[in-house]
Amino acid sequence: MNLKDLAASLGLSQTTVSRALNGYPEVSEATRKRVVEAARRHGYHPDSRARSLATGKAMAVGLILPQTAKQEIVNPVFTDFVAGASETLAERGYDIVLSIVADADQSAVYRSFAAKGRVDGVIMQAPLTGDLRIAMLKQLGLPFVVHGRVSDHDDEYSWMDIDNRHAFYRATAHLLDLGHRRIALLNGLEAMDFAHRRRHGFLDALKERGVRASPDLMASAAMTEGYGYAEASRMLCLPDPPTAFLVSSMMIALGADRAIRAAGLTVGRDVSLVTHDDALSYLSNDTDGIPIFTATQSSVREAGHICANILLKLIDEPDAAPVQTKLEASLIIGPSSGPAPN
């Protein structure tokens, strides 16, 4: 089906259909949704080159992944985020340009994007504490949104994040309420801003209850199943082992769960386990509607949708003020957490 046929099937002009698919503000939201749904139903895909010529835009969004994080390509968190962002961008006819580059080359790629007009904006992933990319992107004048935040100047740029600090404060408080005092933290890399905030939420909850944080019960590394297994195994062999683990991802949780069982212990009875869960499509914390782990839960696919919508707004309205969206994670109680053993 071509544009003429799609317009005829809807009883609309080709101009109206084209403007609806391109997100022009003069087309009502009801009409836009009707056109987008009909295009999806009939399998109509506008020619991106023609749309680029018509709009003066590249009709593409950039997503740069550092080589040090290339394992993220097969990480279900990354793939779910890209899936969510792609769904929203595709509705407006935008493609995603994915580049995997050496850490030192990131600035050059962003500058190339801006200079050559290859993309209309970028989604910045994996922000670090004090990340220098924020200032560079602002200087380039390239519309951008950050998936996450960079501490100290949250009000100066557009971002979408969950409240990581509060999520881990709540999770730690839950374990403290159950009587746990030896609580281990298996965090992600703490140079990453989200992990930095999670650590502070964990420490805040302990301090509030007068519980001393034990350095031997805190670890930080790339979030893999092997890391979860190795660190949980090490900690369970300590003279005074933890009675509970709070971990930063489902992958770490699977490794910690394996270590607990290998030690002859029962999860939820002998040792509690709480994880952060991104409501992933391919690694679900759910069996027939019943959670596997107690978890602080947020949808990373929804985060992709939100980031894409923020970026599209910034592309359409270059003078718009920065847009910030902070979501709360839900605390889902499952069988993996229980009272501290006597």
Side-chain angles (χ1 to χ4, degrees), residues 40 66 76-77 126 130 141 160 203 234 248 255 282 340:
R40 184 186 296 114
V77 173
M160 179 274 145
L203 294 174
R234 177 186 67 80
S248 263
Y282 306 109

Side-chain angles (χ1 to χ4, degrees), residues 91-149:
E91 287 186 358
R92 290 279 303 277
Y94 280 80
D95 297 322
I96 288 183
V97 178
L98 177 62
S99 296
I100 304 174
V101 300
D103 290 36
D105 296 336
Q106 286 190 75
S107 294
V109 176
Y110 281 121
R111 293 182 190 282
S112 174
F113 276 168
K116 296 180 180 179
R118 292 179 59 200
V119 299
D120 300 307
V122 296
I123 299 175
M124 186 181 129
Q125 286 276 83
L128 306 171
T129 56
D131 203 309
L132 299 177
R133 289 175 293 175
I134 301 294
M136 180 195 63
L137 285 166
K138 289 171 69 175
Q139 182 184 42
L140 290 173
L142 193 63
F144 72 97
V145 61
V146 180
H147 179 208
R149 283 180 285 168

Side-chain angles (χ1 to χ4, degrees), residues 101-230:
V101 300
D103 290 36
D105 296 336
Q106 286 190 75
S107 294
V109 176
Y110 281 121
R111 293 182 190 282
S112 174
F113 276 168
K116 296 180 180 179
R118 292 179 59 200
V119 299
D120 300 307
V122 296
I123 299 175
M124 186 181 129
Q125 286 276 83
L128 306 171
T129 56
D131 203 309
L132 299 177
R133 289 175 293 175
I134 301 294
M136 180 195 63
L137 285 166
K138 289 171 69 175
Q139 182 184 42
L140 290 173
L142 193 63
F144 72 97
V145 61
V146 180
H147 179 208
R149 283 180 285 168
V150 178
S151 299
D152 301 330
H153 45 97
D154 290 349
D155 59 330
E156 299 176 6
Y157 61 95
S158 295
W159 51 263
M160 179 274 145
D161 198 14
I162 67 163
D163 193 337
N164 283 288
R165 189 167 188 156
H166 188 240
F168 270 50
Y169 173 90
R170 285 184 69 194
T172 307
H174 166 69
L175 290 169
L176 290 166
D177 288 344
L178 290 169
H180 295 278
R181 294 299 179 267
R182 293 281 290 173
I183 304 172
L185 174 67
L186 302 186
N187 206 0
L189 289 166
E190 289 177 359
M192 309 293 291
D193 195 80
F194 78 88
H196 178 75
R197 293 177 190 264
R198 289 178 184 180
R199 180 188 179 93
H200 279 285
F202 170 74
L203 294 174
D204 287 347
L206 293 180
K207 183 177 180 180
E208 188 177 280
R209 303 289 186 94
V211 177
R212 186 180 66 85
S214 301
D216 60 343
L217 294 186
M218 289 185 282
S220 167
M223 297 188 293
T224 65
E225 193 273 350
Y227 156 61
Y229 176 77

Side-chain angles (χ1 to χ4, degrees), residues 275-290:
T275 184
H276 180 72
D277 160 41
D278 288 292
L280 302 172
S281 300
Y282 306 109
L283 190 61
S284 176
N285 181 33
D286 185 283
T287 302
D288 298 326
I290 300 172

